[in-house]
Amino acid sequence: MSSIIPVKLPQNPYNIAIISNSLAQLGAQISSLDLGKKVLLVSSPEIFEIYGETALKSLSDKGFEVTTHFIPAGETYKNLDSIAKIYDTAVTQRLERSSTFIALGGGVIGDMTGFAAATWLRGVNFVQVPTTLLAMVDASIGGKTGVNHPQGKNLIGAFYQPRLVLIDPLVLKTLPVREFRAGMAEVIKYGIIWDADLFSQLEAAEKLADFSNISEDLLLTIITRSCQAKADVVSKDEKESNLRAILNYGHTIGHAIESLTGYSVINHGEAVAIGMVAAGKIATHLNLWSSEAEIKQNDLIKKAGLPTTIPASVNSSEIVDALKIDKKVKSGKVRFILPTQIGTVIITDEVPSELIFEVVEELKAL
């Protein structure tokens, strides 16, 4: 199982390497990039316990001097305090501008390691080694790095491209079912916004909610086509001046729900799934797409074992208010990504607050 997808940026191009058992080849893979020998490997204790020995051996066998730094798992640690601790380790170990920060973990680890790499000595080498499906198909690609602010998700950050994204699909064998399903939300997103054929293949699959029920061929298709979609969009619009905003499908309301529930009730993928349901319903209300397409989307989300309703504890008015400080707000207006058909979406800031409130209330009542 292998595939190489180039991210064709004019200044910072790199490859997404999807290779089975590639974690054991990490040292060899980054040796080919002609990087410095000092490496800071950032991970969570849980991920490192499973994959740390393999990663360290691979790096040390190629002569890299490796220091490790651990961040507890979870969105609640995605803050500037955690970044400061990475800097502390970098100071202690005298990491240089030629040094490399490697993120071994999910999207939270990748976002924070990337932000630390972007800002340490004004920028050091950065390599992504994602260990969750969500990170593989979305968070590790495209150079978005950062942390949360108490008032909103990912409000602090920088665009900073990795030198390499190394994906080993075999690590998904140890991924908890809930986390696998979270990644499927992003996969479904690509089907809606970019790749109607991917959507059709997901529809045709008998089961989607568990890694153990997905064939190796389908898994490679899911990862490869999702990464290709992300690479295509990022290559056309690196810093989200226009097109790249479509990658936020489902994220507008999803981020608000995550923030208002303290990142502890639902995870990112679950929030995106709910956000896609909300965006689809808004699109139907605005006669942008058909109710049949909306139903097909929601059925696929359910098939992947993902939620389609908003937690009752979330206040609808607070969601509408939270949208006003979202980083996607432009000229005071909230930008929504709304589908017109499966595989095609538009960007609009013409969604009335009253309609948002109405849809949120509908999703709580289901």
Side-chain angles (χ1 to χ4, degrees):
M1 186 189 296
S2 66
S3 181
I4 304 295
I5 298 172
V7 182
K8 300 174 182 178
L9 297 172
Q11 291 186 325
N12 301 293
Y14 57 94
N15 286 333
I16 305 165
I18 306 166
I19 306 169
S20 291
N21 202 37
S22 58
L23 187 60
Q25 305 168 32
L26 174 59
Q29 288 285 338
I30 68 171
S31 288
S32 66
L33 300 175
D34 192 26
L35 307 181
K37 287 300 183 182
K38 287 189 175 183
V39 168
L40 178 62
L41 181 70
V42 182
S43 190
S44 68
E46 295 83 357
I47 293 299
F48 190 83
E49 183 177 356
I50 303 171
Y51 299 114
E53 184 176 340
T54 300
L56 289 179
K57 183 178 188 306
S58 174
L59 291 165
S60 62
D61 284 351
K62 291 297 179 179
F64 289 100
E65 303 169 25
V66 187
T67 299
T68 55
H69 181 92
F70 302 123
I71 301 172
E75 196 82 29
T76 53
Y77 292 96
K78 191 179 177 183
N79 54 47
L80 290 173
D81 287 343
S82 294
I83 297 296
K85 291 174 182 176
I86 296 177
Y87 296 151
D88 291 343
T89 299
V91 170
T92 301
Q93 298 300 318
R94 294 185 175 10
L95 295 181
E96 305 159 356
R97 187 164 286 173
S98 62
S99 301
T100 302
F101 287 15
I102 298 178
L104 176 66
V108 172
I109 293 294
D111 281 3
M112 287 196 288
T113 307
F115 185 56
T119 49
W120 179 251
L121 301 179
R122 297 188 176 93
V124 297
N125 299 309
F126 172 43
V127 171
Q128 287 269 25
V129 186
T131 59
T132 67
L133 180 60
L134 192 151
M136 289 177 183
V137 301
D138 187 68
S140 66
I141 305 164
K144 276 190 175 181
T145 71
V147 295
N148 301 329
H149 184 275
Q151 296 301 312
K153 185 178 172 69
N154 293 333
L155 293 180
I156 306 163
F159 286 98
Y160 194 69
Q161 301 297 339
R163 296 291 304 276
L164 171 72
V165 178
L166 185 64
I167 295 174
D168 185 348
L170 296 183
V171 305
L172 296 177
K173 290 181 178 180
T174 61
L175 189 67
V177 171
R178 186 182 179 191
E179 293 298 325
F180 183 81
R181 293 173 179 174
M184 285 305 305
E186 297 285 357
V187 174
I188 293 168
K189 176 193 78 176
Y190 291 120
I192 295 291
I193 69 170
W194 196 257
D195 190 343
D197 186 55
L198 172 60
F199 188 94
S200 296
Q201 291 188 57
L202 295 174
E203 278 192 305
E206 185 177 346
K207 295 180 180 179
L208 289 176
D210 191 333
F211 173 86
S212 63
N213 292 322
I214 293 180
S215 69
E216 184 174 304
D217 286 345
L218 179 57
L219 181 64
L220 181 59
T221 296
I222 284 171
I223 296 174
T224 302
R225 293 190 77 112
S226 297
C227 289
Q228 186 66 66
K230 182 77 177 272
D232 288 346
V233 173
V234 169
S235 296
K236 296 176 189 299
D237 180 15
E238 180 181 359
K239 296 190 177 179
E240 202 171 300
S241 59
N242 188 26
L243 176 67
R244 184 168 174 165
I246 70 172
L247 296 171
N248 292 316
Y249 180 59
H251 289 59
T252 308
I253 287 177
H255 278 173
I257 295 170
E258 279 188 276
S259 179
L260 292 170
T261 54
Y263 307 105
S264 59
V265 176
I266 57 176
N267 62 33
H268 178 66
E270 292 164 348
V272 169
I274 298 168
M276 289 192 291
V277 174
K281 190 172 285 292
I282 288 171
T284 302
H285 275 288
L286 295 175
N287 296 315
L288 291 174
W289 77 337
S290 66
S291 57
E292 291 79 10
E294 181 192 356
I295 290 168
K296 288 178 73 174
Q297 172 195 254
N298 294 352
D299 284 348
L300 191 55
I301 289 170
K302 292 173 184 175
K303 184 179 180 179
L306 291 158
T308 56
T309 59
I310 295 172
S313 61
V314 181
N315 183 283
S316 300
S317 295
E318 289 182 349
I319 289 181
V320 177
D321 289 341
L323 298 181
K324 296 173 184 175
I325 60 169
D326 188 276
K327 65 183 184 300
K328 294 176 285 296
V329 170
K330 187 174 184 179
S331 300
K333 292 185 175 182
V334 180
R335 287 191 300 169
F336 271 88
I337 316 305
L338 299 178
T340 56
Q341 61 186 35
I342 292 170
T344 306
V345 292
I346 62 169
I347 305 168
T348 180
D349 60 6
E350 299 298 327
V351 180
S353 295
E354 296 80 9
L355 177 56
I356 300 171
F357 182 87
E358 178 185 337
V359 165
V360 169
E361 284 288 286
E362 285 182 40
L363 292 186
K364 289 174 67 176
L366 291 176

